[in-house]
Amino acid sequence: MKTFFLILSLLYISFGEVLSTPDPQRYESIFNFGDSLSDTGNFLLSGALAFPVIGKLPYGETFFKHATGRCSDGRLIVDFIAEAFGLPYLPPYLSITNGQYPRHGVNFAVSGATALDQEFFNSQRIGQLLWTNDSLSVQLGWFKKLKSSVCASKQDCDNYFKKSLFLVGEIGGNDYNYAFFAGGSINKQLRAAVPAVVEAITRATSALIEEGAVALVVPGNFPIGCSAVYLTLFPSTRKADYDKRNGCLKAFNAFAKYHNNQLKRSLETLRQKYLHAKIIYADYYGAAMQFFHAPRHYGFFNGTLKACCGGGGPYNFNYSARCGHTGSKACADPSTHVNWDGIHLTEAAYNHISKALITGPFSTPPLTS
């Protein structure tokens, strides 16, 4: 349980150049749902913690030059996607005041958010320890509440949303993080939870289509076995437990792939139900593994596994000196690192992943077709 509390402090801050796209489809707005991988300020605005470290430097130091509530040194994947389609960065939902018309979209993501509702975690006796109750269904509720301010009739909504891109995640990673860090077993508790997590993501995707969405991107999970926090909390004395190509923990990466495969199957079923919709699976795992296998090719000369910002240890992740806390220090050049704070990635890493999704082969069907 001590380890569980240890990592909960990270969950609320839970894992370039401007991109161009040849896509003839010109999206005019983006609506994003998810967790800390795409939160642009909702957690900070929610006031869930009195003094969250993501509300101060070094978070945001690279691009914005000040903290914005993003769990990185700079821009996130959602920011690069907005740039690629010539759109402004998405405002967090909680920053929108009555009467505002968010013409170019809204970000509903909240750091620490889960795909499943709190009731599930209550049944596992860890519900009271969640950092936020703003799960995927809560975010969906926010969208439905906001919908009337962006379109007045079904025809107006259909016309508006056919030019909109919906990003449903990444979400679900925290559902597994809570369980893993509470001591859950991969082969027992964790694998058993995958169908429920995938169903929650699929159900939300379906609900958005029913609301009028026709272009949706649903990402899979990252290779969590390459994350500094997992490498620190679950060390092994057996060399065979590590992938000799990249130093990542094989069992945790295998679990991420298991989740991703289940999600892909579920999305294929959804495509058969909604033939008019473009449901895109975003392969975050594959896009990230490119630089875990060949870091120097992508400019990551200081490696992929060691955090840029931290307080020491083999992977520069130290609970007593987490990024932003006393005793921690950010590296001189985050662009040469993949990992930012132990669980989230750097702007440079997110930039490469974004390019792989937008102009590369890691979106199925292709995002830019």
Side-chain angles (χ1 to χ4, degrees), residues 114-123 127 130 132-139 175 196 200 203:
T114 53
L116 297 172
D117 290 334
Q118 184 179 13
E119 289 71 24
F120 172 83
F121 299 96
N122 288 341
S123 71
L130 298 183
T132 178
N133 296 328
D134 296 326
S135 63
L136 183 55
S137 67
V138 171
Q139 295 174 32
D175 298 67
R203 187 167 57 247

Side-chain angles (χ1 to χ4, degrees), residues 17-21 80-81 83-85 351 354-355 358-359:
E17 63 266 23
V18 174
L19 295 174
S20 61
T21 173
F80 288 113
I81 291 177
E83 288 182 2
F85 290 103
N351 185 21
S354 302
K355 287 190 287 188
I358 296 170
T359 63

Side-chain angles (χ1 to χ4, degrees), residues 3 6-8 10-11 15 177 181 224-235 249 252 305 307 315-318 322 339 341-344:
T3 300
L6 176 158
I7 195 59
L8 280 179
L10 272 182
L11 286 180
F15 317 13
N177 287 342
F181 302 137
I224 59 175
C226 301
S227 176
V229 64
Y230 276 86
L231 288 162
T232 299
L233 294 180
F234 303 102
L249 286 164
F252 291 99
L305 305 181
Y315 301 98
N316 199 31
F317 172 72
N318 182 348
R322 304 184 309 279
N339 195 292
D341 60 5
I343 194 167
H344 307 98

Side-chain angles (χ1 to χ4, degrees), residues 194-211:
V194 171
V197 173
V198 168
E199 171 59 25
I201 298 169
T202 306
R203 187 167 57 247
T205 305
S206 177
L208 288 170
I209 296 173
E210 294 290 345
E211 292 290 333

Side-chain angles (χ1 to χ4, degrees), residues 106-177:
V106 176
N107 193 340
F108 301 97
V110 182
S111 297
T114 53
L116 297 172
D117 290 334
Q118 184 179 13
E119 289 71 24
F120 172 83
F121 299 96
N122 288 341
S123 71
Q124 304 297 307
R125 299 182 180 180
I126 57 174
Q128 75 278 13
L129 301 175
L130 298 183
W131 279 101
T132 178
N133 296 328
D134 296 326
S135 63
L136 183 55
S137 67
V138 171
Q139 295 174 32
L140 184 60
W142 288 348
F143 168 76
K144 291 178 180 179
K145 182 179 179 181
L146 185 72
K147 184 179 175 182
S148 61
S149 69
V150 298
C151 53
S153 66
K154 184 181 185 305
Q155 183 176 356
D156 288 342
C157 289
D158 288 344
N159 290 334
Y160 181 77
F161 291 136
K162 73 180 181 182
K163 300 176 184 177
S164 302
L165 181 65
F166 288 76
L167 306 177
V168 191
E170 189 273 337
I171 189 75
N174 285 329
D175 298 67
Y176 304 133
N177 287 342

Side-chain angles (χ1 to χ4, degrees), residues 214-229:
V214 293
L216 307 96
V217 176
V218 185
N221 205 348
F222 277 122
I224 59 175
C226 301
S227 176
V229 64

